[in-house]
Structure formats: structure tokens, C-alpha cells
Amino acid sequence: VSTDWYQIEIKDAISQLGLQRIVDECYINKQTALCSNIERNGPALPGSTTREITRVYNYFLNVAQARVEGVDMEVSYRMEPNFFSDSFESLSVRALAGYIIERADTPLGGTPTDVAGGYNTPKWTANLTTSYSVGPLSYQLQMRHVDASSLNTSWVEGVDVDDNSVASSTWFNGQVGYTGETNSGSTWNVALNVQNLFDKNPPIIASYNSRAGS
């Protein structure tokens, strides 16, 4: 069993803020240096004196500070069972989990925005792998989990958006392998690996880019 806590802080980091963050920093936090990344074209919308935003340039920027803090955990166990008395057997279980406490970028002169818990940086992720071998045969089943998260950590559900949630997801991968030996004593192996073994659909996430939404 092992647990590692980490905290990384970088000054003058290179990062992308994201489309919505650039717009928010320009119009809400008054960071005028980022307003040049926003392009407006065409006449004003009906009943409005402002022109429509048509494109936001999500360049890599020299942000003032980038900070990430979290915890990584690992639990592993290995044994030699005796299900078959005439064959060597091995059984191992390994669990990895990570928890993000903070993930924030601060643009020059701006305020930090913590995106931990957003769908690109969920708070919890986990990976559980079970492997069993008997003689030349090996079997592996892997479970992967991504925690439920927010579409945008700065939005308030019911105010900025109707539904700000992204569902959690758990899926499995499987592998069957065979190891053989040549007359010279060398070994060879072949394996069949299936990703998303039970054909689990991912959660549907509302998305957008600089030209359209989906």
C-alpha cells in the first residue's frame, strides 16, 4: 500500500485557458489583454448594440501561475493459489486511484480559476487490474472509473445552465494470453486484448467549439 501527495506550482507557465475562460476573463474580470483573442463580425444582434462573437482564439499563453495539488494511492496484492495442483499459478490484484484537490491557472493580472471537478479534470479516477495465470495461459480483467463531474466548474446549475452535470463512467477491458517456448529455450507470447469489453456507452456531454455546438 502506498500513498503519494503532490503539489506543483509553476510561475510563468505555458497553458491554454479555454474558450469560455478567455471570454470570462475579458468581459467579467476586465483582463483586456485577452480581449484581442475574441473576434466579432457582422452587424449587431436585433435589440442589441453589440456584435456577435464569431471566434475565440485559444492560443497557448504565458500565464502567471499554474498550480496542481492531489493525492495518488496504490494497493497491490500477489499470491500463488493452488486451484490446479499440476500447474504453476499466479494471482495479482492492483488498484490505482487519484484525487485532484486543485487544478488552477492564473492569467497575468487575473484571478485563479480552479477546474478540479470539471469533466476534463474529474476529482476521482481509479484503475483496478486483476491478473491470473495458470501454466502457459494468462487472463486479465481491468476496470476503469471516472468520477461524476461538472460541465463547467464556474457555472451555477439553474442560473448559467439547466444541467451542469456529467455522469460518472465505469468500463472494463479484458485480455487472454498464451506464452510458449521454442526449442532453443526462448519464449514467445500472443494475446487477445478487448477494450470496453461490455460495450459501455460513454456519457453524453454537451460540447462546443469556436464555430458551433453539439
Side-chain angles (χ1 to χ4, degrees), residues 68-89:
V68 60
E69 181 179 1
V71 180
D72 288 334
M73 292 153 280
E74 177 181 357
V75 178
S76 60
Y77 178 77
R78 184 181 179 90
M79 65 172 295
E80 295 180 6
N82 193 26
F83 301 126
F84 304 96
S85 58
D86 58 344
S87 299
F88 174 78
E89 301 170 68

Side-chain angles (χ1 to χ4, degrees), residues 9-102:
E9 187 171 312
I10 303 175
K11 303 291 186 180
D12 298 324
I14 303 298
S15 180
Q16 288 177 295
L17 295 179
L19 307 181
Q20 186 64 54
R21 177 77 185 279
I22 291 171
V23 174
D24 291 345
E25 289 291 342
C26 172
Y27 293 104
I28 298 176
N29 297 327
K30 309 303 180 184
Q31 298 304 311
T32 56
L34 292 173
C35 295
S36 60
N37 288 23
I38 301 171
E39 184 179 281
R40 291 176 178 270
N41 279 331
L45 297 173
S48 173
T49 59
T50 59
R51 293 180 298 159
E52 181 181 9
I53 293 176
T54 56
R55 183 175 297 176
V56 179
Y57 295 95
N58 189 25
Y59 297 133
F60 281 92
L61 303 172
N62 189 358
V63 299
Q65 183 184 62
R67 178 184 173 93
V68 60
E69 181 179 1
V71 180
D72 288 334
M73 292 153 280
E74 177 181 357
V75 178
S76 60
Y77 178 77
R78 184 181 179 90
M79 65 172 295
E80 295 180 6
N82 193 26
F83 301 126
F84 304 96
S85 58
D86 58 344
S87 299
F88 174 78
E89 301 170 68
S90 175
L91 175 66
S92 64
V93 180
R94 186 186 188 201
L96 301 170
Y99 179 75
I100 296 179
I101 300 171
E102 179 185 4

Side-chain angles (χ1 to χ4, degrees), residues 3-208:
T3 302
D4 294 316
W5 172 81
Y6 59 88
Q7 183 182 77
I8 302 171
E9 187 171 312
I10 303 175
K11 303 291 186 180
D12 298 324
I14 303 298
S15 180
Q16 288 177 295
L17 295 179
L19 307 181
Q20 186 64 54
R21 177 77 185 279
I22 291 171
V23 174
D24 291 345
E25 289 291 342
C26 172
Y27 293 104
I28 298 176
N29 297 327
K30 309 303 180 184
Q31 298 304 311
T32 56
L34 292 173
C35 295
S36 60
N37 288 23
I38 301 171
E39 184 179 281
R40 291 176 178 270
N41 279 331
L45 297 173
S48 173
T49 59
T50 59
R51 293 180 298 159
E52 181 181 9
I53 293 176
T54 56
R55 183 175 297 176
V56 179
Y57 295 95
N58 189 25
Y59 297 133
F60 281 92
L61 303 172
N62 189 358
V63 299
Q65 183 184 62
R67 178 184 173 93
V68 60
E69 181 179 1
V71 180
D72 288 334
M73 292 153 280
E74 177 181 357
V75 178
S76 60
Y77 178 77
R78 184 181 179 90
M79 65 172 295
E80 295 180 6
N82 193 26
F83 301 126
F84 304 96
S85 58
D86 58 344
S87 299
F88 174 78
E89 301 170 68
S90 175
L91 175 66
S92 64
V93 180
R94 186 186 188 201
L96 301 170
Y99 179 75
I100 296 179
I101 300 171
E102 179 185 4
R103 173 64 180 90
D105 290 331
T106 305
L108 185 63
T111 57
T113 297
D114 188 5
V115 298
Y119 79 93
N120 283 324
T121 50
K123 288 277 189 178
W124 282 101
T125 55
N127 189 333
L128 175 64
T129 304
T130 301
S131 301
Y132 170 72
S133 63
V134 51
L137 295 172
S138 62
Y139 308 89
Q140 184 182 93
L141 182 65
Q142 181 186 72
M143 182 199 76
R144 300 191 66 183
H145 174 78
V146 176
D147 195 20
S149 55
S150 300
L151 186 61
N152 189 313
T153 56
S154 63
W155 287 349
V156 177
E157 190 166 286
V159 178
D160 301 304
V161 66
D162 291 334
D163 184 2
N164 196 32
S165 64
V166 176
S168 64
S169 184
T170 302
W171 68 99
F172 293 84
N173 305 319
Q175 179 179 285
V176 177
Y178 183 88
T179 300
E181 185 174 332
T182 65
N183 293 332
S184 63
S186 301
T187 59
W188 57 271
N189 63 77
V190 62
L192 171 66
N193 197 356
V194 180
Q195 301 293 316
N196 195 10
L197 185 62
F198 303 114
D199 199 23
K200 171 72 177 292
N201 288 327
I204 296 175
I205 303 173
S207 182
Y208 64 90

